Amino acid sequence: MKAPDLGIKIGVFEHGRRNSITDVKGVKVGNVTLIKGEAVRTGVTAIIPHEGNIYKEKLLANAFVMNGYAKPIGLTQVKELGVIESPIILTNTLSVYTAADALTDYMLEQNKDVMSVNPLVLECNDSYLNDIRGKHVKKEHIFEALKNASEDFEEGAVGAGTGMSAFEFKGGIGSSSRIVEIDGKKYTIGALVLSNFGKREDLTIAGVPVGLELKDYPGRGKSGKGSIIMIVATDLPLTSRQLYRLAKRAIVGLARTGGYAYNGSGDIVLAFSTAQKIPHYQKEPLRIEALHDARLSRVFKATAEAVEEAVINSLLQAKTVKGRERHIRYALPHDKLVEIMKRYGRLEK
Amino acid sequence: MKAPDLGIKIGVFEHGRRNSITDVKGVKVGNVTLIKGEAVRTGVTAIIPHEGNIYKEKLLANAFVMNGYAKPIGLTQVKELGVIESPIILTNTLSVYTAADALTDYMLEQNKDVMSVNPLVLECNDSYLNDIRGKHVKKEHIFEALKNASEDFEEGAVGAGTGMSAFEFKGGIGSSSRIVEIDGKKYTIGALVLSNFGKREDLTIAGVPVGLELKDYPGRGKSGKGSIIMIVATDLPLTSRQLYRLAKRAIVGLARTGGYAYNGSGDIVLAFSTAQKIPHYQKEPLRIEALHDARLSRVFKATAEAVEEAVINSLLQAKTVKGRERHIRYALPHDKLVEIMKRYGRLEK
Amino acid sequence: MKAPDLGIKIGVFEHGRRNSITDVKGVKVGNVTLIKGEAVRTGVTAIIPHEGNIYKEKLLANAFVMNGYAKPIGLTQVKELGVIESPIILTNTLSVYTAADALTDYMLEQNKDVMSVNPLVLECNDSYLNDIRGKHVKKEHIFEALKNASEDFEEGAVGAGTGMSAFEFKGGIGSSSRIVEIDGKKYTIGALVLSNFGKREDLTIAGVPVGLELKDYPGRGKSGKGSIIMIVATDLPLTSRQLYRLAKRAIVGLARTGGYAYNGSGDIVLAFSTAQKIPHYQKEPLRIEALHDARLSRVFKATAEAVEEAVINSLLQAKTVKGRERHIRYALPHDKLVEIMKRYGRLEK
Amino acid sequence: MKAPDLGIKIGVFEHGRRNSITDVKGVKVGNVTLIKGEAVRTGVTAIIPHEGNIYKEKLLANAFVMNGYAKPIGLTQVKELGVIESPIILTNTLSVYTAADALTDYMLEQNKDVMSVNPLVLECNDSYLNDIRGKHVKKEHIFEALKNASEDFEEGAVGAGTGMSAFEFKGGIGSSSRIVEIDGKKYTIGALVLSNFGKREDLTIAGVPVGLELKDYPGRGKSGKGSIIMIVATDLPLTSRQLYRLAKRAIVGLARTGGYAYNGSGDIVLAFSTAQKIPHYQKEPLRIEALHDARLSRVFKATAEAVEEAVINSLLQAKTVKGRERHIRYALPHDKLVEIMKRYGRLEK
């Protein structure tokens, strides 16, 4: 269940058919959820940017680090060369190296003569619910998440989101999309977040101080730690410089949900465009298509909206999870939420 | 009239005595307002960071550029050396060079043997109401604004804010402050903004979609162009690295008012700390006091709140202005605003 | 007289016809030299990137700040939008605001309906020889330098270089170029520097420790202060991201002359490509041509070489100047230099 | 054998007792060299910044990326928080994830209650000599390198340097140090590099074009690919902002050896100061000691020199290695080098 299903409207743009990052043609997402015993609550989410060989056909991309208390893998090269050349893996903080190692194997397997590749792995810390020190993510889980990737995928307490918390509720994977029309042509901006941040009292939905209203709802604890990873995909023709501008606007969406990028957070945005493929090598000059910057204002707003709703969806889609040391993260209660939104005049019919 | 005076509460922290940047001890603000004939609607706002010789006693500082379609003066050196060494002048886009030239003279006059100084001048474009090409700001206006500086100063359509627009209403100068208590000690974070950005429909006050509600209120035109300058002052002991982190959080406050940092905007934050003075030269190593980063989360939230309210105050304090080519920017109507806020359940008693 | 004229070979690439930044088609340079009485030793150098209306037909560009103890004007917008939209003015530190004001007028005059423009002004501090506090550069000098611009221009102690010092010798304006062949097509990289940095003992020419050899040559004083501005122009099709990469390689050339980017220096590189023009506005997506990054290694080396020789040429072209407070900066003595180079086996026949 | 042992003097500062990064008190280095069969030519080098628990007592630090075609691990957090909290591991490109995983285990073992740590791993690509796709570095090799760490360590074709190439000669680990006296107090700057870059013809030693002279010396092939990692340690009291400035000057040293930061290179500098320890948490404000920036010029020059000599030492210390596909990288021939240096007048008695 996503925000519109509850009658909650985030922003003014239309969303795509699935209201998901996979509304951007070619993008696929796969999850592996690891739940074992009392304390294994973790997993892997893979985002495949296009269906071809990504090393041979790279995509223009860029990243913005709002707060860098984080262990991302691969951003240095993305910023230098302006492209991504691998799928993107999300998982827990202590499993990023296993994930990157597996992703490297996956890329080497596809590219037999390659001696170097730049795997992209991003993380949040799920140690409130998960035995993170146990490092339960293994290389096969990465391969499986990549194989699972599909246009239809679950959100909430699944994949990398299995053990994540947001606003002291259950967080995790959330996605949304927005359609922007430019000169009569429709383009899609899709966002997928791994949410794991926020104090209860900060939670804001469509401007309503939901967190303050639910201050006394059970399940609080270890607030304000944690991070958020935001992936933005689009079929708009944009250069890596422009995708950096786009990535920054994800923060606008994040802020509107109650995100302050607290000290301990790793708040990172990765944005890529599927509009054109950049070969690993080409003798002749490239011809890069790019919207004029003067056309970007509405694109920026739609990006912020997609991210804002993706964060809210990560809460709405998540179910209650009990984990390590009997910690519980409750699902955001839909009934109470609807009641609050109504009271504040923000429920659509 | 500021937000709390209307019963509108932005955030959860207490504000300081004046609810202004001048709640940070030593900070003073001075305005010069230029209104002549039908088309001169501009001015100058000076922020004096402390009462001494700022060149000889610099302050730790840093800047964050959210969007750089802008003509700031002085940021390169601030970012390299981590200090400011002059007052800060705000004015219109085409007058920054006159202002910087005057500010240089002002500093050279105070420091007879100095051959180089780094003046700080930031701007927005007031050409909707002002004959900006006429360059009506002269050097004497800078000196006068500096001389006018006081702990008490006007906000709204005054000084650099005289001709500015925000959300297709009248914008300009707005200020606010927040008190954070750390280990039993109270510190102040003050924000001053020069607001000149936003489409009407984007305006959000304490989460309420005021702009959509006032979509048909008269005065729309040339929306979504323009910029915002945000000055953050604090007496918290922070390094320039930490002030960069602080400066980034101003964007959280901005986002919550409906700021998307549109393509054409120059959205710039300058943050400084008055906690300690850095001599121009010193033989012995400096001893810099700094909060541990682990203490900064609440500081970040308070910064976002101060900036959010400063933006709203810039609207609330501004009066209707008629200017160039009979353009009118109406004051945000207080009565309608109160009615809307009540309807959305966001008016405090 | 430039390095090759003395038999000194910097690097391995061929230079262009003029061995100057104006070997890049369309680029022109103009000087105004101000010498009056005993203490006025300053001036203006204007670089015109192409012959059309630069505001309407912008060029892709980027900047790298090696050390930011500097007062550059215009870089924030260049970095955000990846283009330059005005000529580039070089002058002394305290005259940058007058220069930017004049350059704004010049652009407004050409573009009658424009309300905002981003003038580019860069500086070094010539106060050793010049009465810099007297601010002797006036607006008319900027207009004159722009009008003077030509493919043929003087180097050395002229224009902005009139009062500059390098390695405690006379420095100033120097230029050089390199030709790179890519797939049978010849491209040009041109560099122009305003040199005003370095301690005598650091001076290195084609690897030879000339500064140590000339340690006792007269004229030392106030060493190690000062800055260098490096302008790199090319007709290679490069994006602004790639031009940032190029700009960084100017530092390689600088380092090889004995530049350490001392604390007080403003070491700034601005690189632009004349290969394509970016309109101020365009409805349809742009098509940007760009070399594949894999082709850039030789381009990087040629850039470093062009800058290295431009620095040396700024010394070789400069004549002895006596100025403020009877300070003298001697020209680097050609005869002694030739003798030293021969002794170290670095003189070509 | 290091440069001074051959009579080659790089720069003007004195070096420390060992002419090594371990002249900085507390710093230790350990190698594990993996040579097996015909194609395993790789290894691990560990740098331990101080003898205590680095997670609990962090060091101020910063990084500069000259060229980011690279897979560094840990830099994002270093840049945000200005500290390192783990030892530094160097290894080959495809083994960084195994190394980071092992380093995480090592840190978790020392810190039983910790759920997150930021391991630092940097790399070059040794695939010319090494079967890099075989991933021969295992976790136990990381632990062993950490255990091996000592003030005395081997340089050249050892540890992470086992399979590296520089200027088409054998490269690898090289180290050097410089002493700077400030107000009568002596401080040490130490550099350690992992060299794996450069075309033969670019090699420059103390300004002499050694590479051109040895153009026809056997062993050329696959030139100009590869990277360099530069670690700078110092006991100077510097903030992370100042350490960023320091890190940038490593590029000056690199440039003087013939480094152009070619397209495919990952040229990364990590600088840290041992002067003070930053606790993981502290309630009271920190008191950070820092040299005034005005004292840094000589520090910058000494840093450049230390890095320049470290690169040369990495060549001088390396022995010829034969590896994968019968590729051979010859040691730089000392006898020929001495002869060339003499011919160019650069050999000290």
Side-chain angles (χ1 to χ4, degrees):
Chain A
M1 192 161 275
K2 300 201 177 190
D5 304 320
L6 286 177
I8 297 169
K9 188 155 170 52
I10 307 284
V12 299
F13 288 88
E14 294 297 305
H15 59 70
R17 194 163 67 83
R18 290 181 189 85
N19 193 16
S20 158
I21 194 171
T22 55
D23 287 327
V24 179
K25 202 171 165 317
V27 178
K28 293 179 175 178
V29 177
N31 288 310
V32 165
T33 302
L34 298 175
I35 298 181
K36 263 177 281 179
E38 295 195 346
V40 179
R41 302 287 182 275
T42 194
V44 177
T45 298
I47 297 116
I48 296 193
H50 73 68
E51 289 163 358
N53 182 319
I54 305 165
Y55 183 83
K56 287 186 185 147
E57 299 182 304
K58 306 178 203 288
L59 296 183
L60 292 169
N62 219 323
F64 175 65
V65 176
M66 176 65 182
N67 197 52
Y69 204 139
K71 286 86 187 167
I73 290 179
L75 301 190
T76 301
Q77 190 162 316
V78 171
K79 295 191 84 59
E80 181 74 37
L81 300 178
V83 289
I84 57 172
E85 64 180 28
S86 87
I88 302 153
I89 298 291
L90 311 180
T91 189
N92 77 59
T93 305
L94 295 186
S95 296
V96 287
Y97 314 111
T98 296
D101 200 27
L103 186 52
T104 300
D105 287 351
Y106 174 86
M107 298 304 292
L108 294 182
E109 174 66 26
Q110 277 180 30
N111 300 279
K112 297 295 186 188
D113 53 346
V114 160
M115 301 288 186
S116 171
V117 69
N118 186 44
L120 284 166
V121 184
L122 300 161
E123 47 74 42
C124 295
N125 194 308
D126 56 14
S127 59
Y128 187 75
L129 292 174
N130 179 46
D131 169 31
I132 196 170
R133 290 177 62 108
K135 289 188 176 176
H136 300 285
V137 174
K138 307 299 175 193
K139 289 173 80 167
E140 61 260 33
H141 301 132
I142 311 304
F143 303 137
E144 200 184 329
L146 288 161
K147 215 175 65 184
N148 286 350
S150 153
E151 289 171 344
D152 296 305
F153 63 98
E154 274 191 281
E155 301 179 26
V158 295
T162 304
M164 303 295 171
S165 306
F167 301 105
E168 301 169 65
F169 284 114
K170 188 68 195 74
I173 299 292
S175 194
S176 184
S177 69
R178 290 296 183 270
I179 307 296
V180 269
E181 200 176 311
I182 295 183
D183 292 330
K185 204 169 158 189
K186 287 187 176 180
Y187 298 95
T188 303
I189 299 166
L192 180 145
V193 306
L194 175 62
S195 73
N196 188 49
F197 72 103
K199 298 188 191 186
R200 177 73 62 86
E201 69 246 38
D202 297 340
L203 175 59
T204 306
I205 298 183
V208 174
V210 172
L212 286 171
E213 292 287 337
L214 294 175
K215 213 170 43 184
D216 301 326
Y217 193 87
R220 302 198 61 165
K222 207 191 170 200
S223 72
K225 306 276 177 156
S227 305
I228 179 166
I229 301 302
M230 293 157 272
I231 310 296
V232 177
T234 185
D235 54 6
L236 285 156
L238 298 172
T239 65
S240 60
R241 178 184 57 77
Q242 293 174 321
L243 287 160
Y244 180 68
R245 302 186 78 193
L246 210 70
K248 275 176 149 179
R249 273 61 185 187
I251 303 308
V252 173
L254 174 65
R256 293 170 75 96
T257 69
Y260 291 96
Y262 284 137
N263 172 61
S265 71
D267 293 10
I268 293 179
V269 192
L270 180 71
F272 62 86
S273 163
T274 61
Q276 50 211 320
K277 283 155 186 161
I278 307 295
H280 181 68
Y281 179 78
Q282 182 177 301
K283 207 178 159 185
E284 303 74 37
L286 302 163
R287 287 199 162 269
I288 298 164
E289 193 175 292
L291 287 186
H292 195 286
D293 283 82
R295 311 306 305 263
L296 293 185
S297 289
R298 290 169 61 243
V299 170
F300 290 168
K301 182 168 177 176
T303 302
E305 276 190 14
V307 171
E308 182 181 355
E309 190 184 323
V311 174
I312 303 308
N313 289 345
S314 77
L315 290 156
L316 294 176
Q317 301 265 42
K319 287 176 191 129
T320 298
V321 171
K322 192 187 295 184
R324 193 175 72 90
E325 295 186 356
R326 304 195 181 176
H327 290 160
I328 298 184
R329 286 300 189 205
Y330 289 103
L332 178 67
H334 290 198
D335 52 348
K336 285 196 189 303
L337 173 61
V338 165
E339 183 268 320
I340 294 165
M341 297 306 285
K342 194 180 294 174
R343 183 145 39 89
Y344 280 88
R346 296 307 297 269
L347 208 66
E348 309 255 316
K349 288 302 93 63
Chain B
M1 192 161 276
K2 300 202 178 188
D5 304 320
L6 285 177
I8 297 169
K9 189 157 169 50
I10 307 283
V12 298
F13 287 87
E14 295 296 305
H15 59 70
R17 194 163 67 83
R18 291 182 187 83
N19 193 15
S20 159
I21 195 171
T22 56
D23 287 327
V24 179
K25 203 171 164 315
V27 177
K28 293 179 175 177
V29 178
N31 287 311
V32 165
T33 302
L34 298 175
I35 297 181
K36 264 179 281 180
E38 295 196 346
V40 180
R41 303 287 182 274
T42 195
V44 178
T45 298
I47 297 114
I48 296 194
H50 73 68
E51 288 163 358
N53 183 318
I54 304 164
Y55 184 84
K56 287 186 184 146
E57 300 183 304
K58 305 177 202 291
L59 296 183
L60 291 169
N62 219 323
F64 175 65
V65 177
M66 177 64 182
N67 198 51
Y69 205 139
K71 286 86 188 167
I73 291 179
L75 300 189
T76 301
Q77 189 163 317
V78 170
K79 295 191 83 62
E80 181 74 38
L81 300 179
V83 289
I84 57 172
E85 63 182 28
S86 86
I88 302 152
I89 297 291
L90 311 180
T91 189
N92 77 58
T93 306
L94 295 185
S95 295
V96 288
Y97 314 111
T98 296
D101 201 27
L103 186 52
T104 300
D105 287 352
Y106 173 86
M107 298 305 291
L108 294 181
E109 174 65 26
Q110 276 180 32
N111 299 278
K112 297 292 187 190
D113 52 346
V114 160
M115 302 287 185
S116 172
V117 70
N118 186 44
L120 285 165
V121 184
L122 300 161
E123 48 72 43
C124 295
N125 194 307
D126 56 13
S127 59
Y128 187 75
L129 292 174
N130 179 46
D131 169 31
I132 195 170
R133 289 176 62 109
K135 289 188 175 179
H136 300 284
V137 173
K138 305 299 174 194
K139 289 174 80 167
E140 60 261 30
H141 301 134
I142 311 304
F143 304 137
E144 200 184 329
L146 288 162
K147 216 175 65 184
N148 286 349
S150 152
E151 289 170 344
D152 295 305
F153 62 99
E154 275 191 280
E155 301 179 26
V158 295
T162 304
M164 303 295 170
S165 306
F167 301 105
E168 300 168 66
F169 284 114
K170 188 68 194 76
I173 299 292
S175 195
S176 183
S177 69
R178 290 296 182 271
I179 307 296
V180 269
E181 198 176 313
I182 295 183
D183 293 330
K185 206 171 157 186
K186 286 186 177 181
Y187 297 96
T188 303
I189 299 166
L192 180 145
V193 306
L194 176 63
S195 72
N196 189 49
F197 72 102
K199 298 188 191 185
R200 176 73 62 86
E201 69 245 38
D202 298 339
L203 175 59
T204 306
I205 299 184
V208 173
V210 172
L212 286 171
E213 292 287 336
L214 294 174
K215 214 170 41 184
D216 301 327
Y217 194 86
R220 301 198 61 165
K222 205 191 171 202
S223 71
K225 306 276 175 158
S227 304
I228 179 167
I229 301 302
M230 293 157 272
I231 310 296
V232 177
T234 185
D235 53 5
L236 284 155
L238 298 172
T239 65
S240 60
R241 177 184 58 76
Q242 293 175 322
L243 287 160
Y244 180 68
R245 302 186 77 193
L246 209 71
K248 275 177 148 179
R249 273 61 185 187
I251 303 309
V252 173
L254 174 65
R256 293 170 74 95
T257 69
Y260 291 95
Y262 284 137
N263 171 61
S265 71
D267 294 10
I268 293 180
V269 191
L270 181 71
F272 62 87
S273 163
T274 61
Q276 50 211 321
K277 282 155 187 162
I278 307 295
H280 183 67
Y281 179 78
Q282 181 178 301
K283 206 177 160 184
E284 303 74 37
L286 302 163
R287 289 202 159 267
I288 298 165
E289 193 176 292
L291 287 186
H292 195 287
D293 283 83
R295 312 306 305 263
L296 294 186
S297 289
R298 290 170 62 244
V299 170
F300 290 167
K301 183 170 177 176
T303 302
E305 277 191 14
V307 170
E308 183 181 353
E309 190 184 323
V311 173
I312 302 308
N313 288 344
S314 79
L315 289 155
L316 294 177
Q317 301 265 41
K319 287 176 192 130
T320 298
V321 171
K322 193 187 292 186
R324 193 175 72 91
E325 295 186 358
R326 303 194 181 176
H327 290 161
I328 300 184
R329 285 301 189 203
Y330 289 102
L332 178 66
H334 290 197
D335 52 347
K336 286 199 190 302
L337 173 62
V338 164
E339 183 268 320
I340 294 166
M341 297 306 284
K342 194 179 291 172
R343 182 145 40 90
Y344 279 89
R346 297 307 297 269
L347 208 67
E348 308 255 316
K349 287 301 93 64
Chain C
M1 193 161 275
K2 300 201 178 189
D5 304 319
L6 285 177
I8 298 170
K9 187 155 170 50
I10 307 284
V12 298
F13 287 88
E14 295 297 305
H15 59 71
R17 193 163 67 84
R18 290 181 188 84
N19 193 15
S20 158
I21 195 171
T22 56
D23 287 326
V24 180
K25 202 171 165 316
V27 178
K28 293 178 176 180
V29 177
N31 288 310
V32 165
T33 302
L34 298 174
I35 297 180
K36 263 177 283 180
E38 296 195 344
V40 180
R41 301 287 183 275
T42 194
V44 178
T45 298
I47 297 115
I48 296 193
H50 73 69
E51 288 163 358
N53 182 318
I54 305 165
Y55 183 84
K56 288 186 183 145
E57 299 183 305
K58 306 177 202 290
L59 297 183
L60 292 169
N62 219 324
F64 175 65
V65 176
M66 176 65 181
N67 197 52
Y69 205 139
K71 286 86 188 167
I73 290 179
L75 300 190
T76 301
Q77 189 163 316
V78 171
K79 295 191 82 60
E80 181 74 37
L81 300 178
V83 288
I84 58 172
E85 63 181 27
S86 87
I88 302 153
I89 297 292
L90 311 180
T91 188
N92 77 58
T93 305
L94 296 185
S95 295
V96 286
Y97 314 112
T98 296
D101 201 27
L103 185 52
T104 300
D105 287 352
Y106 173 86
M107 298 304 292
L108 294 181
E109 174 67 25
Q110 277 181 30
N111 300 278
K112 297 293 187 189
D113 53 346
V114 160
M115 302 288 185
S116 171
V117 70
N118 186 44
L120 284 165
V121 184
L122 300 160
E123 47 74 43
C124 295
N125 194 307
D126 56 14
S127 58
Y128 187 75
L129 292 174
N130 179 45
D131 169 32
I132 195 171
R133 289 178 61 110
K135 289 186 175 179
H136 300 284
V137 173
K138 306 298 175 194
K139 290 174 80 167
E140 62 261 30
H141 301 132
I142 311 303
F143 303 137
E144 200 185 329
L146 287 162
K147 217 176 62 184
N148 286 350
S150 153
E151 289 171 343
D152 295 304
F153 62 99
E154 276 190 280
E155 301 179 27
V158 295
T162 305
M164 303 296 170
S165 306
F167 300 104
E168 301 169 65
F169 284 115
K170 187 69 195 77
I173 299 292
S175 195
S176 183
S177 69
R178 290 296 182 272
I179 307 296
V180 268
E181 197 175 314
I182 296 184
D183 292 330
K185 207 171 156 187
K186 286 186 176 181
Y187 297 96
T188 304
I189 299 165
L192 180 145
V193 306
L194 175 63
S195 72
N196 189 50
F197 72 103
K199 298 189 191 186
R200 175 74 63 87
E201 69 245 38
D202 298 341
L203 174 59
T204 307
I205 299 182
V208 174
V210 172
L212 286 172
E213 293 287 336
L214 294 174
K215 213 170 42 183
D216 300 326
Y217 193 85
R220 301 199 61 167
K222 207 191 168 201
S223 71
K225 305 275 176 159
S227 303
I228 179 167
I229 301 301
M230 293 157 270
I231 310 295
V232 177
T234 184
D235 54 7
L236 285 155
L238 298 172
T239 65
S240 60
R241 177 184 58 75
Q242 293 174 322
L243 287 160
Y244 179 68
R245 302 185 79 193
L246 210 71
K248 274 177 149 179
R249 271 64 185 185
I251 302 308
V252 173
L254 174 64
R256 293 169 73 95
T257 68
Y260 290 96
Y262 285 137
N263 171 62
S265 70
D267 293 10
I268 293 179
V269 191
L270 181 71
F272 63 86
S273 163
T274 60
Q276 49 211 320
K277 283 155 186 162
I278 307 295
H280 181 69
Y281 179 79
Q282 181 177 302
K283 207 178 158 184
E284 303 74 37
L286 302 163
R287 287 201 162 269
I288 298 165
E289 194 175 291
L291 287 186
H292 195 287
D293 283 82
R295 313 306 305 263
L296 295 185
S297 290
R298 288 170 61 247
V299 171
F300 290 167
K301 182 170 178 176
T303 302
E305 276 190 16
V307 170
E308 183 180 355
E309 190 185 323
V311 173
I312 303 309
N313 288 345
S314 77
L315 289 155
L316 294 177
Q317 300 265 40
K319 286 175 193 130
T320 298
V321 172
K322 192 188 293 186
R324 193 175 72 91
E325 295 186 356
R326 305 194 179 177
H327 290 162
I328 299 184
R329 285 300 188 207
Y330 290 103
L332 179 65
H334 290 197
D335 51 348
K336 286 197 188 304
L337 173 62
V338 164
E339 182 267 321
I340 295 166
M341 297 305 285
K342 192 179 294 173
R343 183 145 39 91
Y344 279 89
R346 296 308 296 271
L347 208 67
E348 308 256 317
K349 287 302 95 61
Chain D
M1 191 160 278
K2 300 201 177 189
D5 304 319
L6 285 177
I8 297 170
K9 188 156 170 51
I10 308 284
V12 299
F13 288 88
E14 294 298 305
H15 58 71
R17 193 163 67 84
R18 290 181 189 85
N19 194 15
S20 159
I21 195 171
T22 55
D23 287 327
V24 179
K25 203 172 164 316
V27 178
K28 292 178 175 178
V29 177
N31 287 310
V32 165
T33 302
L34 298 174
I35 297 180
K36 264 178 281 179
E38 295 195 346
V40 180
R41 301 287 181 274
T42 193
V44 178
T45 298
I47 297 114
I48 296 193
H50 73 69
E51 288 163 357
N53 183 318
I54 304 165
Y55 184 84
K56 287 185 184 147
E57 299 183 305
K58 306 178 202 289
L59 297 183
L60 292 169
N62 219 324
F64 175 64
V65 176
M66 176 65 181
N67 197 52
Y69 205 138
K71 286 87 188 165
I73 290 179
L75 299 190
T76 301
Q77 189 163 316
V78 170
K79 296 192 82 60
E80 182 74 37
L81 300 178
V83 289
I84 57 172
E85 63 182 27
S86 88
I88 302 154
I89 298 292
L90 311 181
T91 188
N92 77 59
T93 305
L94 295 185
S95 295
V96 286
Y97 314 111
T98 296
D101 201 28
L103 185 52
T104 300
D105 288 351
Y106 174 85
M107 298 304 292
L108 293 181
E109 175 66 26
Q110 277 180 32
N111 300 278
K112 297 293 186 187
D113 53 346
V114 161
M115 301 289 185
S116 172
V117 70
N118 186 46
L120 286 166
V121 184
L122 300 161
E123 48 72 43
C124 295
N125 194 307
D126 55 14
S127 58
Y128 187 76
L129 292 174
N130 179 45
D131 168 31
I132 195 170
R133 289 176 63 109
K135 288 187 177 179
H136 299 284
V137 173
K138 306 300 174 191
K139 290 173 79 167
E140 61 261 31
H141 301 133
I142 312 304
F143 303 136
E144 200 185 329
L146 287 162
K147 216 175 65 184
N148 286 350
S150 152
E151 289 171 343
D152 295 304
F153 63 99
E154 275 190 279
E155 300 179 27
V158 296
T162 305
M164 302 297 170
S165 306
F167 301 105
E168 301 169 66
F169 284 113
K170 187 68 195 76
I173 299 292
S175 194
S176 183
S177 69
R178 290 297 182 270
I179 307 295
V180 268
E181 198 175 312
I182 296 183
D183 293 329
K185 206 171 157 186
K186 287 187 176 179
Y187 297 96
T188 303
I189 299 166
L192 180 146
V193 305
L194 176 63
S195 73
N196 189 50
F197 72 102
K199 297 189 191 185
R200 175 73 62 88
E201 69 245 38
D202 298 339
L203 175 59
T204 307
I205 298 184
V208 174
V210 172
L212 286 172
E213 292 286 338
L214 294 174
K215 214 170 42 182
D216 301 326
Y217 193 86
R220 300 199 62 166
K222 207 192 169 201
S223 72
K225 306 277 177 156
S227 304
I228 179 166
I229 301 302
M230 293 157 270
I231 310 295
V232 177
T234 185
D235 53 6
L236 284 155
L238 298 171
T239 65
S240 61
R241 177 184 57 76
Q242 293 174 321
L243 287 160
Y244 179 68
R245 303 185 77 193
L246 210 71
K248 275 176 148 179
R249 271 63 185 186
I251 303 308
V252 173
L254 174 64
R256 294 168 73 95
T257 69
Y260 291 96
Y262 284 136
N263 171 62
S265 71
D267 293 10
I268 293 179
V269 191
L270 181 71
F272 63 87
S273 163
T274 61
Q276 50 211 321
K277 283 154 186 161
I278 306 294
H280 182 68
Y281 179 78
Q282 181 177 303
K283 207 178 159 183
E284 304 74 36
L286 303 163
R287 286 199 162 270
I288 298 165
E289 193 175 293
L291 287 186
H292 195 288
D293 283 82
R295 311 307 304 265
L296 294 185
S297 289
R298 290 170 61 244
V299 171
F300 290 167
K301 182 169 178 176
T303 302
E305 276 189 14
V307 171
E308 183 180 354
E309 189 184 324
V311 173
I312 303 309
N313 288 345
S314 77
L315 289 155
L316 294 177
Q317 301 264 41
K319 289 178 189 126
T320 298
V321 171
K322 191 187 294 185
R324 193 174 72 90
E325 294 186 356
R326 303 192 180 178
H327 290 162
I328 299 183
R329 284 302 188 206
Y330 289 102
L332 179 66
H334 291 197
D335 52 346
K336 287 198 188 301
L337 173 61
V338 164
E339 183 269 319
I340 294 165
M341 297 306 284
K342 194 179 293 173
R343 183 147 38 91
Y344 279 89
R346 297 309 296 271
L347 208 67
E348 309 255 316
K349 288 300 93 65

